Structure formats: structure tokens, C-alpha cells
Amino acid sequence: MAFFKFAITLLLLALISARISLAHPGIGIGWGGNGQYGGSFYGLFPQFYQFSCPQVDNIVMSVLQKAIARQPRIAASLLRLHFHDCFVQGCDASVLLDDSAAIVSEKNSVPNRNSLRGFEVIDEIKAKLEEACPQTVSCADIVALAARGSVVLSGGPSWELPLGRRDSRTASLSGSNSNIPPPNSTVQNLIASFKRQGLNEVDLVSLSGGHTIGVARCVTFKQRLYNQNGNNQPDETLERTYYFGLKSVCPRTGGDNNISPLDFASPAKFDNTYFKLVLLGKGLLTSDEVLLTGDVGNIVQLVKSYAEDDELFFKQFAQSMVKMGNISPLTGFNGEVRKNCRLVN
Ligand code: HEM
Ligand SMILES: *[C@@H]1O[C@H](CO)[C@@H](O)[C@H](O)[C@H]1NC(C)=O
């Protein structure tokens, strides 16, 4: 009887898997890790590693837990890494590639140089995954998983994360310079920049809420303190006390690498305080402040609604993160699964 049940189970499994791979050949990639399957449907889906690397999320989370316990800020750095990956030729781990004969690294772009962090944590996750499931989990998926895990471990929302991204064999320094909006952007610049990636104003506001954790260097907000409009005057939208505090960490000359929290009230906690601060004139970057003063469409209304309702913010942030994570992934036969996230195979 027991054997009979076992045989039936095997038969059912065989039928199910045959059906799945006939209907959705893309799923086959998840099974064999590096398998080659024909077919035209290669969407991302949460169960991509269900059979080829079921431990993937546990491994990611255990490395993150230790890294964040050592240094809470690393959660913020890993969240930002995913953003800077996805905005440049899609979420394809292009941002992780080091300079080499064939690669001009994005790590030297204006937004990334002396700024982007978290690469060692990604390396550590990759090394553990290569031991557990060799050549199976892409670096692009690791970055997406690390971003989600970092938000969760900082007290923010979780979400079902579509997986199956593959890694690029190229990087784009010029794309990194042109696609990632600068901190002194106007709200119109921000809207246009997000729109180029298929993201709308709701995504712009909710994802700006990522600034609820982490820090920025003095050089990224100095213009606001001393010369906002080329008139040697500070940005008058800055709340006074906050402004004096910022001047003490960010002098007119020098101190470019001094840091200040993006959400000084709770810099390591993922919550909706960022929006409350923006409403009080205590947003750190011009790009934060213009969500209040830019006066375009329903942007201010969105800031207010997230400031009032943290659940609404969490829900929308999760949705927008999935949307950002779906920007032009490489799937199917495209790209590769890198062995080392810093190098093409
Ligand atoms: C809306 C346009 C955005 C602009 C103009 C912008 C700009 C910046 C700048 C200038 C910094 C500081 C970098 C430095 O000092 O070296 C920063 C930090 C950060 N950004 Fe953004 N950002 C934007 C959107 C986002 C998005 C969409 C996310 C993620 C959802 C994000 C997450 C972060 C995080 C977590 C940090 C802190 C990183 C750390 O402490 O290492 N940002 N951002
Ligand atoms: C933003 O900063 C850059 C670099 O400092 C500068 O060239 C540009 O004019 C600034 N843009 C605005 C709108 O202030």
C-alpha cells in the first residue's frame, strides 16, 4: 500500500512537471539551474528556485542578519544597490561588474563613485550559494533578494519577489551617469527619469521612501546649504533648526565625505518617518524636498498620505519594489549566471 501511494505520487509529480515545462518552458531553467530549454515564455516568478535551490532565501537572510547586526547601515546600502542596478540596462547585476579588459565598470559613475556600498555582502552571499547550489542563483536575483531582506530586517514590509533574472555580460558607465537622477533634481526631472524606466509618480514617491534608512554625504546636499540658486543663499525651504544642524556637519569648504542620515529621526528603522520629515522641511536632499514643494500632480498628496498611514506606504512600497525589480530582466537564453558577481564567466 505504501509503495502504491509512493508510485502514484511519483506519477503525479512527473505529470505536473511535464505540464509545467510544456506550458511554461521558462520554468525549466529553475530546475536544472543552468539548464537549456526552448520556448518563448520566460517571465520571472517567485518559485523559480523552488527545486534548484530551495535554501536560497535562508542563505541570503542568514548572511544579511550578521552583516546588518555588525553595521545597520549596510541594509540601506543594499537597498540602494538594487535601485542603481535596475535603472541601468535593467536588473541584470551590471552594477556589480569590476573594471576589466572588456568592462568599464559602473562603479566609477558620478552617482556610484565613493558612494555605492554592499559589494562584499553580495560576494559573501554568492560564495555561500555557489557552495549550496553551484551556478544556479544569478547575481541579479541575489541583489533583489538582498534588497528585500534588508527592508524586512530593518522593520519594513516583505513581498513576494519574482525571480529568474540572469546576469549581463556588459555594463554601462554612461547609462549609470545618465539614468540615475542627481540629488539636486527638480520634481520634473525625477518624474521623467522614473518614467523612462516605466515607473510612475506613485512609484517615485513610494520608492523615495527608501530614504527612511541610510545616509548621504555632505557633497550631495551642500548646494542646498550655501548656494541653492546660484545666489549664495541657502535653500529657504529647509527648516531652520535642521539647516543649522546640517551646516555643522557640512561646512562650505571641505567635509565632502561627512555623512548625515536621510531620516535623522530613525535612520536604521524602515518606517514612514521620512515622509513626516519631508512635510516639515526636514528632507535631506533637494530630491526629497521637491516632493513637497515641486507642486506637480498629486505628488504632495501622496507624501501626505504615506506620512499619515504607514500601512499604506508599506503596501505601495512593496508593489513599487516589485515593479522596479521587473525592469528589463534578462531571462531564458539571454545573459548568464555568473560564478563571481564581479566578473563575466
Ligand atoms: C528619487 C530619486 C533618488 C535620488 C535623487 C537619490 C539620491 C540619493 C543620494 C544622493 C544618496 C546619498 C549618496 C551618497 O551620499 O553617496 C542616496 C542614498 C540612498 N538612497 Fe537614494 N535616491 C533616489 C531614489 C532612491 C530609491 C528609489 C531608493 C530605493 C528604493 C533609494 C535608496 C537609498 C538609500 C537606502 C540610501 C542610503 C544608502 C547608504 O546609506 O549607503 N534612493 N540617494
Ligand atoms: C546640480 O548639480 C550639478 C553638479 O554640481 C550642477 O552642474 C547642476 O547645475 C545642478 N543642477 C541644478 C538644477 O541646480
Side-chain angles (χ1 to χ4, degrees), residues 16 19 25 29 67 69 72 78-79 81 150 162 182 192 237 262 288 332 342:
I16 290 167
R19 256 189 71 88
I29 302 284
L78 289 165
L79 173 57
L81 193 57
S150 293
T237 64
L262 286 153
D288 300 317
R342 295 171 182 267

Side-chain angles (χ1 to χ4, degrees), residues 108-127:
N108 295 317
S109 71
V110 173
N112 292 345
R113 196 190 320 129
N114 296 324
S115 178
L116 212 56
R117 311 165 75 248
F119 301 110
E120 295 76 14
V121 180
I122 300 294
D123 289 341
E124 197 184 332
I125 294 171
K126 181 62 174 175

Side-chain angles (χ1 to χ4, degrees), residues 182 184-186 189 223 228:
N184 62 353
S185 298
T186 62
N189 293 154
Q223 185 189 358
Q228 179 68 346

Side-chain angles (χ1 to χ4, degrees), residues 22-168:
L22 282 176
H24 303 296
I27 287 177
I29 302 284
W31 286 57
N34 219 16
Q36 302 276 294
Y37 295 81
S40 54
F41 173 78
Y42 292 114
L44 305 180
F45 54 96
Q47 298 79 19
F48 190 84
Y49 298 110
Q50 185 172 351
F51 302 107
S52 59
C53 195
Q55 336 69 314
V56 59
D57 201 45
N58 289 339
I59 293 176
V60 170
M61 291 306 275
S62 75
V63 174
L64 287 181
Q65 239 149 19
K66 277 179 238 150
I68 296 171
R70 273 196 303 271
Q71 186 197 54
R73 182 187 167 196
I74 206 72
S77 306
L78 289 165
L79 173 57
R80 184 169 184 239
L81 193 57
H82 186 41
F83 164 48
H84 285 211
D85 182 28
C86 293
F87 268 51
V88 183
Q89 55 180 45
C91 312
D92 60 357
S94 58
V95 72
L96 302 179
L97 291 171
D98 283 340
D99 271 325
S100 69
I103 298 291
V104 182
S105 177
E106 293 171 18
K107 294 178 184 179
N108 295 317
S109 71
V110 173
N112 292 345
R113 196 190 320 129
N114 296 324
S115 178
L116 212 56
R117 311 165 75 248
F119 301 110
E120 295 76 14
V121 180
I122 300 294
D123 289 341
E124 197 184 332
I125 294 171
K126 181 62 174 175
K128 293 230 157 74
L129 285 173
E130 285 300 298
E131 262 174 48
C133 332
Q135 277 250 278
T136 300
V137 182
S138 68
C139 298
D141 278 344
I142 293 173
V143 172
L145 285 162
R148 179 185 64 174
S150 293
V151 169
V152 169
L153 293 173
S154 304
S158 189
W159 54 90
E160 261 221 310
L161 178 55
L163 297 167
R165 299 166 190 80
R166 290 166 63 84
D167 300 325
S168 69

